[in-house]
Structures are given as structure tokens and as C-alpha cells.
Amino acid sequence: MTVSAEITTYGLYIGGEEHAAASGDTFESINPTSGRAWATHALAGPEDVDRAVGAARAAFENDAWRGLSPT
């Protein structure tokens, strides 16, 4: 088994695209078995939540999504 020192960075998935947090804040995820960071995640704030809710509302109101079958 090879342990990689690489840390993956994840943004916020909003409106079908990955974005950094508006504030630029991030946090690290710690692997409980090793005690080491394995990823950095964007930390959403109020502005990011508003942007996500707006994107969800736009998708909900779009006929292309509304007309899809649940299957």
C-alpha cells in the first residue's frame, strides 16, 4: 500500500459547477485512521447558500428539469 501525501481540494457544487467559497474559507478533512489531512473543502457561508438556493430555484422552475421522469 502506498500512502500519498497529496491533498485533494473540493469546492462547492452550485448550479452544476464547482466554485470556491465566496469568503475563500476552507477546512481540512482528517482521516481518522492516520490522523492526517486527506482533503481540503470550501467552507460555505451565507452568500454561498443564497447562490445555491438561487441555482436550485432556477433548476426547479426550468421545464427541462421539471419534465423529467423520476426514473
Side-chain angles (χ1 to χ4, degrees):
M1 176 187 220
T2 303
V3 178
S4 174
E6 288 185 37
I7 295 179
T8 305
T9 300
Y10 294 96
L12 304 169
Y13 194 71
I14 300 172
E17 298 177 347
E18 190 170 346
H19 298 272
S23 66
D25 291 342
T26 61
F27 68 96
E28 288 185 336
S29 289
I30 305 298
N31 180 334
T33 60
S34 68
R36 295 181 184 188
W38 69 273
T40 300
H41 301 274
L43 182 61
E47 186 176 334
D48 303 304
V49 173
D50 288 344
R51 188 170 45 174
V53 170
R57 170 63 63 189
F60 177 76
E61 292 174 351
N62 185 322
D63 287 336
W65 287 102
R66 186 178 279 184
L68 290 177
S69 156
T71 57

